[in-house]
Amino acid sequence: MRRTRAALLGAAIALVSERGTANVPVSDIADVAGVSRQLVYLHYGDRDRLLLEAALDLARRELFEPWRAAPETATGRARSLALARHFAAHRGFYRAMFNSASAFALNREVSGLLSPLRSESIRARFGDVLPGRLDDDLAAFITGGFGAMVYLWVTEGRTRSTPRRWPTGSRRSAAC
């Protein structure tokens, strides 16, 4: 079952990235994964759910887990750069997904993955100074803003695919 799931998610990511659209037939995904169309529907219900799960699996594996495993000393700038590199590496896939019927759900779910991590970062930086749940609210605000920035960059931004380290002392490095 895990092998089937991994094959379907990998096939979905590969085909969407290759074709530049989320409008990939279920039969094509099933063929590339080496399974029947019925298995796709059995596991995911429909194509949109499969594509959303593929995007979330990618984000969990390459964003959430490494962020979680990063040492306490990792700076916000290093983490932000890692996020930018992830979206740059998978830009074609995310561009197609952000222009699909799953865009809102994808944005909500990725924000949901990252917001608790931002809350932890904010608590680590400010301690108990912030009143009530201000750390969670601030994390939601930052994560939402980051999500909007990624969306615009992935869907409408320049095509340079590898984020470079911004010069120390520049306005951009201070914002990260």
Side-chain angles (χ1 to χ4, degrees):
M1 191 157 146
R2 284 187 208 174
R3 208 172 322 177
T4 299
R5 177 176 155 76
L8 285 169
L9 298 177
I13 292 167
L15 287 172
V16 168
S17 298
E18 176 185 310
R19 295 180 184 177
T21 180
N23 221 5
V24 177
V26 170
S27 57
D28 290 1
I29 296 170
D31 288 346
V32 169
V35 301
S36 69
R37 280 182 16 175
Q38 290 77 14
L39 269 177
V40 174
Y41 293 115
L42 179 66
H43 283 274
Y44 296 101
D46 63 20
R47 180 194 62 208
D48 289 340
R49 187 68 202 169
L50 167 61
L51 294 179
L52 178 59
E53 287 299 322
L56 293 176
D57 181 66
L58 184 62
R60 284 182 192 111
R61 283 184 293 111
E62 293 191 11
L63 290 176
F64 185 72
E65 295 304 327
W67 185 303
R68 239 326 164 209
E72 291 287 325
T73 57
T75 65
R77 186 179 323 148
R79 286 179 166 174
S80 295
L81 189 57
L83 290 170
R85 285 186 175 138
H86 167 79
F87 284 102
H90 302 287
R91 189 172 189 180
F93 174 73
Y94 284 113
R95 177 180 285 145
M97 290 300 297
F98 282 138
N99 286 309
S100 75
S102 301
F104 178 78
L106 174 61
N107 191 15
R108 184 183 65 226
E109 294 291 331
V110 170
S111 292
L113 284 174
L114 296 176
S115 193
L117 300 173
R118 278 282 171 217
S119 292
E120 290 173 14
S121 296
I122 290 168
R123 280 192 291 277
R125 176 166 285 176
F126 296 106
D128 294 332
V129 175
L130 300 175
R133 295 181 39 121
L134 188 57
D135 54 344
D136 292 333
D137 293 342
L138 187 55
F141 176 74
I142 291 169
T143 304
F146 182 80
M149 187 174 68
V150 166
Y151 170 82
L152 288 172
W153 173 60
V154 166
T155 60
E156 299 173 11
R158 293 186 313 175
T159 59
R160 182 177 55 171
S161 62
T162 307
R164 294 181 294 186
R165 177 178 286 280
W166 292 308
T168 305
S170 73
R171 291 169 54 127
R172 284 187 174 167
S173 67
C176 292

